[in-house]
Amino acid sequence: MASAMRSTITAASAAKTSAEPPAEGRQYDQPKLAASYFETTNAGAGLVDGQDGATVQLPNELMSMCLLECADWGDLAKLACVQSSWKDIVDEAANTDQQSKWQLAQAYLHGDCGLQQDPEKAMRYFRELSCVDMDEQTGTFAIHGDGSGDNKPYAPAMRQLAAHQFSMLTDNMENHYADETQDEHDSSNSTTTIQQQNEQLSKLGTAWLQAAHDLGDDADAAHELALHYEYGKHHVAVDVVAAYEWFQKAATAGHVDAMAELGLCYELGCGVEQDDELALDWYTKAANEGNVTAKFSVGEAFEEARGVPQSDEEACLWYYRAAMVGDEDSKVALKRLYDIARIVVPGVATLLNV
């Protein structure tokens, strides 16, 4: 009977899809459907080809069992073409819970689970998951609904929506520069249009990241925004003050790399008044959470008496912690302070191969 169920799905030739296996790192669960689904969708029409042209009617329980044990998202997409009462089966399975809809969106985005790659469908599901109303002209946003339960904003979906805007921006730039067939007048008009499109895509991508932080409490989104303002990524104008502010938001929310970046802002006085003590404070927090660069920076602060009394001994201890996980600058510093390091850090000679 399970093979008969497979034949039903395969019979939908009009819905042929790619069978690319999921890339490494992406995991998918079996789609879920309520056990009563085929009872409420005229499952009596669930007939499959038997031998000698006969038909076999599968019981509802067996139809459900076969789907639960065998079907992936691509199978459901094919089954949706078998009869009209099943046309919404993919959406029905996606709507069972947040994780199901997230996995379906990922499958459409990457062309996994037997689905044809379809970024637009993926974005539709990501928008539903975000539970955010976004004005695409102004970049203003608000929670859709009451913000609780199934209407709670989902930050990972918002980050995906942001990434999609930035991806389209990059494609715009690459396609524009690759096109060298237009005359000078048309090229000028095209450049103006591309610039306007890219500015809008940049605004929307930035807005989705801000929404992920403001509505979804997402520290990763705040850190990404800070990097955009620091380096002028994706047509975002360089703004060191805004970069500092977003690093601060991410750091206070526990983002370790942002803690190290915030320490650098205070050390250099970049976007904020210079303050060695605050720089050391944030470097130390990041170092204690495992950030290698921050460990080196704490050692450097002790060596140079920035925000703390000078101590080559303490500097060596911090350099050693960073060197133990491969930081080359720390190894150089330990060699420079070797006469002290060999006393306070047993085993440093082996580490430095001296």
Side-chain angles (χ1 to χ4, degrees):
M1 284 298 187
S3 61
M5 179 62 185
R6 280 292 183 184
S7 70
T8 303
I9 296 172
T10 305
S13 58
K16 282 187 178 180
T17 57
S18 66
E20 176 189 347
E24 185 177 354
R26 290 196 297 274
Q27 300 293 327
Y28 295 93
D29 301 322
Q30 291 292 130
K32 304 172 188 174
L33 280 170
S36 61
Y37 177 80
F38 291 100
E39 296 178 5
T40 59
T41 55
N42 190 24
L47 304 176
V48 299
D49 293 334
Q51 297 179 347
D52 302 323
T55 60
V56 178
Q57 181 171 329
L58 297 179
N60 297 335
E61 295 82 357
L62 184 56
M63 292 283 286
S64 296
M65 182 189 71
C66 289
L67 283 173
L68 290 174
E69 294 183 358
C70 304
D72 60 15
W73 289 107
D75 294 328
L76 294 191
K78 295 172 185 177
L79 193 61
C81 300
V82 172
Q83 64 177 38
S84 60
S85 62
W86 295 341
K87 64 182 176 63
D88 296 324
I89 191 171
V90 174
D91 281 336
E92 291 285 345
N95 289 329
T96 55
D97 55 43
Q98 188 180 68
Q99 183 68 7
S100 294
K101 186 172 290 187
W102 170 258
Q103 291 190 4
L104 175 60
Q106 291 288 342
Y108 270 124
L109 182 63
H110 299 288
D112 290 337
C113 301
L115 290 174
Q116 188 75 31
Q117 190 173 27
D118 192 334
E120 290 306 311
K121 279 188 178 180
M123 292 309 119
R124 174 169 71 85
Y125 287 113
F126 285 136
R127 288 190 191 94
E128 291 177 7
L129 279 167
S130 75
C131 294
V132 169
D133 293 323
M134 176 69 69
D135 187 321
E136 297 197 352
Q137 295 302 314
T138 65
T140 56
F141 52 83
I143 295 177
H144 179 80
D146 61 9
S148 63
D150 291 339
N151 289 322
K152 185 177 181 179
Y154 190 54
M158 293 182 240
R159 289 207 311 274
Q160 286 281 6
L161 290 162
H164 183 62
Q165 302 300 318
F166 295 136
S167 176
M168 289 193 294
L169 189 157
T170 300
D171 290 344
N172 262 2
M173 296 295 295
E174 291 177 352
N175 293 337
H176 175 63
Y177 289 128
D179 185 3
E180 300 176 350
T181 62
Q182 302 177 74
D183 63 36
E184 184 177 348
H185 176 70
D186 288 341
S187 179
S188 176
N189 290 338
S190 175
T191 298
T192 300
T193 301
I194 292 295
Q195 288 175 342
Q196 292 172 341
Q197 291 175 351
N198 287 346
E199 288 173 2
Q200 185 63 19
L201 290 169
S202 177
K203 179 194 291 185
L204 274 177
T206 301
W208 276 115
L209 285 178
Q210 185 173 346
H213 171 266
D214 293 355
L215 304 180
D217 299 321
D218 192 274
D220 288 331
H223 180 251
E224 187 174 347
L225 271 173
L227 294 176
H228 287 188
Y229 283 113
E230 182 178 21
Y231 297 109
K233 296 172 63 176
H234 300 306
H235 279 235
V236 175
V238 172
D239 186 334
V240 294
V241 174
Y244 156 75
E245 291 172 347
W246 283 106
F247 279 135
Q248 184 181 50
K249 291 176 181 179
T252 54
H255 195 287
V256 177
D257 288 344
M259 294 177 190
E261 294 276 6
L262 186 59
L264 184 61
C265 289
Y266 280 115
E267 179 186 350
L268 301 179
C270 189
V272 66
E273 185 177 351
Q274 200 278 338
D275 191 317
D276 284 334
E277 291 185 3
L278 282 175
L280 179 59
D281 181 48
W282 282 107
Y283 280 143
T284 304
K285 289 177 180 178
N288 287 333
E289 292 295 330
N291 186 279
V292 178
T293 302
K295 292 177 183 180
F296 170 82
S297 296
V298 174
E300 194 175 48
F302 275 104
E303 184 181 4
E304 299 178 0
R306 288 189 279 104
V308 69
Q310 200 282 336
S311 173
D312 286 341
E313 291 79 3
E314 282 291 330
C316 286
L317 290 172
W318 282 103
Y319 287 145
Y320 181 72
R321 291 169 186 168
M324 284 290 290
V325 286
D327 186 67
E328 294 300 323
D329 289 337
S330 294
K331 293 179 182 179
V332 171
L334 286 170
K335 290 179 180 179
R336 185 177 64 250
L337 299 175
Y338 184 72
D339 287 344
I340 297 173
R342 66 186 179 85
I343 297 173
V344 300
V345 187
V348 71
T350 301
L351 175 66
L352 300 179
N353 196 26
V354 296

